Amino acid sequence: MSNTRIERDSMGELQVPVAALYGAQTQRAVDNFPVSGQRMPAQFIRALILAKAAAARANVELGQVSAAQGKAIVDAAQGLLEGDFMEHFPVDIFQTGSGTSSNMNANEVIATLASRLLGEPVNPNDHVNCGQSSNDIIPTSIHVSAALALHEQLLPALLHLVQVIERKAGEVHPFIKTGRTHLMDAMPVRLSQVLDGWAQQLKANIGHLQDLLPSLQSLAQGGTAVGTGVNAHPRFAELFSQQLTQLTQVQFTPGTNLFALIGSQDTAVAVSGQLKTTAVSLMKIANDLRWMNSGPLAGLGEIELEGLQPGSSIMPGKVNPVIPEATAMVAAQVIGNDTVITIAGQSGNFELNVMLPIIAQNLLSSITLMSTASRLLADKAIATFKVNEARLKEALSRNPILVTALNPIIGYQKAAEIAKKAYQQGRPVIDVALEHTDLTRAELEVLLDPEKLTAGGV
């Protein structure tokens, strides 16, 4: 028996695997784009399937497809989402720039399943794709998939990271360490102040991402081919967004100008830019952890990260800061993804952006990577590190920069001389200051008290 069947489309006949749910247009894409072996992201395909269900519901209400056809389409979409739907979506990321191949892949698969459920033909174009074009449903699916990924993955992960950092800040509040600027010794800080700074960075990023959600939840659907809405019912965009909102429990609305949402991907570029900023924050936190953990003998050795695995194939006993390193690599990848999205965003030629699949891939990759890395950083690095109090006190006692506290009393020039002598002689600054000022040890102990210095003021 043959393992293929004959399928037909507007360009003629071709062979399709006999068990495949898709049809001729999907097979042409599989044949034409053997580029990377990477399929469109599962989050994107999920959003596309949800969009097809929402469209069917809207079209039934508008009388554009029969109630039976609409129900079959919705049931087919829901059945896909309940199983391993990705096996039915083989089209490569690097395909036609509008994502038409992925749209037709969804149309064909859903039409096949809906036809089986209904017992009569459901057409991929006339029924599943009713009121739609690849040119509006693919930009819509980018927005929907990214919005859902932010709501379900990244924002909860970042909030978890903030909560872990703030809880750890409370635990380490008693510990005071040498601050550093330019990687050089500076005035003392509480370890809790360091962590609070990290938490505030992340809170700002969360706020900026939340600010972008209304734009991301504004959809191109209803614009069809070029933004005019040809072949779509005048109320289709409104009802589509209502139905999608019911299916996802996330508020989606029709875009105020569909030409802008089809001809450009400015919202995706803006979201990616904020993801890049978040990645920069994660890299800063990861690198701070690596520096504080460095050593343990020849580095700073201020904290000890949880040992998770052997660090060397040749050096016994070596343990490396693997979670911060992984986080830094994730951040680098997200920064790279943003560059791709920036270049792709400028490919809005007249009425259509023609790099939509790679925008979807990179946007969702950034969200997924940072979601996972944020939880790992929280649970396997920040929550579990230990403080080396002896090392902190040793460095503080020898830090000549503490003399900064004497500036208002003895002046900058005199304080600089004392700092240099303390450094050159390897002596505590309090001992050198006692020799070169009229201040008593008791007065110096108060003025140079690291705990007092972390509170600021004169």
Side-chain angles (χ1 to χ4, degrees):
M1 294 179 62
S2 173
N3 60 357
T4 63
R5 68 180 193 271
I6 299 298
E7 289 283 346
R8 298 168 181 81
D9 62 11
S10 62
M11 297 185 71
E13 297 182 346
L14 79 166
Q15 293 183 332
V16 175
V18 68
L21 296 181
Y22 53 78
Q25 290 204 44
T26 302
Q27 187 61 50
R28 291 190 192 281
V30 170
D31 295 341
N32 289 335
F33 306 115
V35 181
S36 69
Q38 301 177 69
R39 303 180 181 197
M40 293 295 290
Q43 300 113 306
F44 174 84
I45 298 300
R46 174 195 174 205
L48 181 56
I49 294 170
L50 285 167
K52 295 298 176 182
R57 287 183 173 188
N59 280 320
V60 168
E61 188 171 342
L62 295 167
Q64 302 301 296
V65 300
S66 71
Q69 290 169 334
K71 183 178 186 306
I73 292 169
V74 171
D75 289 347
Q78 291 177 339
L80 278 171
L81 294 175
E82 291 169 2
D84 184 13
F85 58 84
M86 284 304 295
E87 65 177 307
H88 306 299
F89 293 86
V91 178
D92 202 277
I93 294 165
F94 299 95
Q95 54 169 286
T96 174
S98 62
T100 299
S101 297
S102 287
N103 182 36
M104 285 309 304
N105 188 175
N107 289 334
E108 289 178 342
V109 169
I110 292 172
T112 297
L113 292 173
S115 297
R116 292 177 183 176
L117 291 169
L118 188 60
E120 61 183 64
V122 174
N123 189 274
N125 294 86
D126 297 335
H127 302 136
V128 183
N129 200 57
C130 179
Q132 307 149 58
S133 165
S134 300
N135 298 356
D136 63 354
I137 202 160
I138 297 300
T140 290
S141 297
I142 290 173
H143 276 218
V144 172
S145 58
L148 293 178
L150 286 175
H151 280 289
E152 298 169 359
Q153 294 177 263
L154 183 55
L155 290 173
L158 290 174
L159 181 59
H160 174 68
L161 178 55
V162 168
Q163 291 170 339
V164 170
I165 291 173
E166 290 181 333
R167 184 164 60 246
K168 190 70 172 184
E171 295 173 8
V172 302
H173 180 73
F175 300 107
I176 299 171
K177 68 185 290 291
T178 298
R180 291 182 182 82
T181 58
H182 304 269
L183 296 181
M184 304 298 285
D185 296 342
M187 295 300 287
V189 295
R190 286 191 179 276
L191 194 47
S192 61
Q193 292 172 322
V194 174
L195 271 65
D196 286 339
W198 298 346
Q200 184 53 47
Q201 281 185 272
L202 295 170
K203 286 179 180 178
N205 283 310
I206 290 171
H208 296 321
L209 286 168
Q210 289 172 331
D211 289 343
L212 288 165
L213 284 174
S215 295
L216 200 56
Q217 291 162 210
S218 177
L219 305 179
Q221 204 62 51
T224 66
V226 293
T228 59
V230 64
N231 287 359
H233 190 283
R235 294 187 60 219
F236 178 72
E238 173 193 354
L239 293 181
F240 173 89
S241 290
Q242 290 176 7
Q243 294 294 339
L244 190 61
T245 297
Q246 290 179 17
L247 287 168
T248 62
Q249 300 303 302
V250 172
Q251 182 66 50
F252 290 102
T253 59
T256 54
N257 188 294
L258 303 184
F259 293 97
L261 290 173
I262 294 174
S264 79
Q265 280 292 299
D266 290 351
T267 297
V269 172
V271 172
S272 178
Q274 183 52 49
L275 293 174
K276 178 184 71 173
T277 304
T278 307
V280 170
S281 296
L282 288 178
M283 186 175 279
K284 183 263 195 294
I285 295 168
N287 282 330
D288 282 357
L289 287 165
R290 290 173 62 238
W291 277 106
M292 288 193 291
N293 181 76
S294 61
L297 299 179
L300 298 180
E302 295 176 339
I303 65 171
E304 179 185 347
L305 291 170
E306 179 185 3
L308 296 173
Q309 63 187 59
S312 173
S313 62
I314 191 173
M315 293 176 281
K318 196 171 190 294
V319 180
N320 295 329
V322 292
I323 297 299
E325 288 174 354
T327 301
M329 286 190 285
V330 162
Q333 182 64 61
V334 171
I335 293 167
N337 288 349
D338 179 65
T339 300
V340 173
I341 292 171
T342 300
I343 294 169
Q346 61 80 43
S347 291
N349 308 131
F350 299 111
E351 279 67 59
L352 180 66
N353 182 285
V354 290
M355 288 195 181
L356 297 177
I358 200 64
I359 290 174
Q361 158 64 17
N362 282 270
L363 194 61
L364 293 168
S365 169
S366 292
I367 293 171
T368 299
L369 286 171
M370 284 201 293
S371 300
T372 304
S374 295
R375 291 189 179 277
L376 288 174
L377 191 66
D379 298 338
K380 294 193 174 185
I382 292 170
T384 56
F385 76 72
K386 299 176 182 177
V387 179
N388 187 344
E389 185 175 11
R391 195 67 173 264
L392 296 184
K393 288 182 175 179
E394 177 189 1
L396 272 176
S397 69
R398 297 169 61 84
N399 182 5
I401 304 302
L402 294 178
V403 78
T404 304
L406 303 183
N407 284 0
I409 300 170
I410 65 174
Y412 182 95
Q413 191 63 35
K414 184 68 173 179
E417 293 173 4
I418 292 171
K420 289 178 181 178
K421 284 186 171 64
Y423 179 75
Q424 290 167 357
Q425 297 171 10
R427 298 169 61 201
V429 70
I430 190 170
D431 293 343
V432 179
L434 186 61
E435 295 174 0
H436 295 277
T437 70
D438 295 330
L439 297 168
T440 67
R441 178 171 287 275
E443 290 172 323
L444 288 168
E445 286 175 349
V446 171
L447 291 168
L448 299 176
D449 179 14
E451 184 170 353
K452 173 180 175 294
L453 296 177
T454 63
V458 179

